[in-house]
Amino acid sequence: MLAHLAEFDRRSYLLIVERAREHGLNKPAMLVSASGDGPLYLYLCVALMLFDSRGEELFRLALIAFLLELPLYLLLKNSIRRTRPCHSAIGLGCSFEPSDKFSLPSGHTAAAFVMAGAVGTVYPVVILPLYLWACLIGLSRVALGVHYPMDILAGAALGSLSVVWVNEFI
């Protein structure tokens, strides 16, 4: 069963990367991926704190969720130690050099799902576009050759569950 899952993951990775390159999607994928860089989350939370009464609630929820998600992410990534696809024998190379060697789970995806969940909890009207954006960040990471699809699913689960867990206790 695990061998079939690994093969499906590998084939899905190859299909996504090849199609992205075939259709010239690397530059858009880089932009989408960059929209999931950490400092932008802080800027958004601070801006909403300054201009909206619910901004403080968002800041608190996001901060605590990230304080839960980040150590779990680091523990998983450094325990599992899955080689990035672009550094493996099947890899098609990376569009850029990632900051670390390991791919599971996807940190960009986990963080995007923390933000989508936190913002969507405080501002429910925007939850669907936020989760679509988080999914696009994950997909962009595969298209850029730095993650397998299962890395994205693991990151999405980690980020989403972090918000759910924190929301239960605050």
Side-chain angles (χ1 to χ4, degrees):
M1 178 73 168
L2 280 176
H4 292 295
L5 187 59
E7 181 61 18
F8 176 77
D9 201 24
R10 185 186 73 77
R11 286 179 187 231
S12 299
Y13 159 80
L14 290 170
L15 179 70
I16 293 167
V17 173
E18 288 169 352
R19 293 302 172 271
R21 291 179 181 176
E22 192 176 292
H23 295 289
L25 297 176
N26 272 11
K27 284 186 181 180
M30 288 290 284
L31 291 172
V32 170
S33 179
S35 76
D37 291 346
L40 296 176
Y41 301 145
L42 178 61
Y43 301 147
L44 173 66
C45 287
V46 169
L48 287 170
M49 263 184 13
L50 294 172
F51 298 109
D52 187 80
S53 61
R54 296 170 291 173
E56 192 173 314
E57 178 186 353
L58 169 62
F59 185 83
R60 185 174 44 256
L61 176 58
L63 177 64
I64 297 169
F66 275 116
L67 287 173
L68 175 63
E69 176 267 333
L70 188 57
L72 291 172
Y73 155 78
L74 290 170
L75 178 69
L76 288 168
K77 188 163 256 196
N78 290 304
S79 297
I80 298 167
R81 303 173 68 91
R82 184 180 196 189
T83 303
R84 289 187 183 272
C86 57
H87 296 145
S88 72
I90 67 151
L92 299 173
C94 302
S95 296
F96 62 94
E97 190 56 39
S99 60
D100 62 57
K101 301 186 296 191
F102 306 121
S103 69
L104 181 68
S106 166
H108 269 78
T109 306
F113 274 83
V114 166
M115 278 309 289
V119 175
T121 297
V122 178
Y123 303 97
V125 71
V126 295
I127 199 162
L128 289 178
L130 287 170
Y131 275 110
L132 174 61
W133 163 79
C135 289
L136 288 173
I137 286 179
L139 184 58
S140 75
R141 303 296 288 172
V142 178
L144 293 169
V146 295
H147 284 289
Y148 292 100
M150 290 300 185
D151 303 340
I152 303 310
L153 293 175
L158 176 61
S160 296
L161 288 173
S162 295
V163 174
V164 168
W165 291 330
V166 168
N167 215 18
E168 288 291 317
F169 298 106
I170 66 166

